[in-house]
Each structure stands twice: as structure tokens, then as C-alpha cells.
Amino acid sequence: MGAHREHGVDVEELTVADAPQVAALESVTFSDYPQTQATYREPLTEAGAAGLFADGRVFGIRRNGQLIAVTATSAQGDLTETHFTSVHPDHRRQGLATVVKAASILANADAGHTWFGTGGAGTNAGSIGMNEAVGYEITETWHTLVPPRSDDRLPS
């Protein structure tokens, strides 16, 4: 994986000692996640971040020592599932989400995993673009049906 110093960032696999930084980054980015019935997630606590390391692998990008991007994965058999990928708002639109997600895919492929899955709300164009950039194909979608608001109903 190694450093990418020419761009001023370090890409690395994180350890459980990084859980507080992962939780802190997620607290900054939490409001950016689409919250629907199909894609709802709870805010990540430090304990929850530590659990990510027990269940899988976590990769990050640091700039000047600060964690600015993260992706968390877990594997069952040949399948590696990405739980989330996020980038600090001050460091977006630089391709960092794609870089950290690609690093996780390569590391998990090197570990023998051959099948990769990820989620993403259709309302999150950045997530869809990142997933397509690393080679994912959209094979399923989730739809949330909600009753119309009372002012949207046709007159009776």
C-alpha cells in the first residue's frame, strides 16, 4: 500500500488504535449520509469503530498526520463487503474516496478474496461515482416507498 507522498497523503491499513480518529471523522461526515429506511445507519461511536477492526479491515488516508478518509470492510468467505467510505468535507473532490476504497479492494484481493460488495443510496451520486470508478457494477437497487403527503393527494 505504501505512501503517496507526491500528493501529500499516506494510504494505509489502520489499527484499532486508530478507532478514536475513525469515530471522530465519522462524526464530521455523518450528516452527509443519506438517511432513508433502506440506508439508515447509526452514528459511529468509538466502541463501534473499535468493533470494525474486530470484524474486518479498515483503511485510511492521512494528510499531515490527520485522518481525512476512511473505508471499512469485512469478509465472509470470498466476499468482502464495504460498510462505508467517507472523506472529511475539507478534502473532498480530490479522488480520495476512490483511492482509499481501491486500496481496500487490492489488499483484500491480495488476501485471497475474490468477490466484493458495497452499498450506496441512489441519492448519493458521489458514492455511485466512486463505486463505478473502482469497478463495481450496480446489480440491485433499494427503493423506499412512502405515503404521499396530504397536500399531494388528489382531491376526492
Side-chain angles (χ1 to χ4, degrees), residues 17 25 33 83 95 117 156:
L25 176 59
Y33 288 101
H83 297 291
S156 43

Side-chain angles (χ1 to χ4, degrees), residues 33-105:
Y33 288 101
Q35 298 291 340
T36 70
Q37 288 81 358
T39 61
Y40 179 79
R41 65 187 289 240
E42 294 287 331
L44 188 66
T45 63
E46 280 191 33
L52 295 170
F53 295 91
D55 295 337
R57 299 173 78 179
V58 182
F59 301 83
I61 296 178
R62 295 183 199 277
R63 181 171 279 148
N64 299 322
Q66 177 190 6
L67 186 64
I68 59 171
V70 66
T71 193
T73 66
S74 64
Q76 293 183 347
D78 289 342
L79 173 64
T80 298
E81 182 73 27
T82 301
H83 297 291
F84 64 85
T85 302
S86 61
V87 176
H88 190 283
D90 294 344
H91 300 275
R92 292 188 179 153
R93 308 276 184 261
Q94 301 173 39
L96 298 175
T98 302
V99 169
V100 74
K101 192 160 194 170
S104 75
I105 292 167

Side-chain angles (χ1 to χ4, degrees), residues 6 11-12 119 124 150:
E6 66 273 11
V11 182
E12 60 188 294
N124 190 338
S150 60

Side-chain angles (χ1 to χ4, degrees), residues 146-155:
V146 296
R149 298 183 314 240
S150 60
D151 59 346
D152 288 344
R153 295 182 188 200
L154 296 174

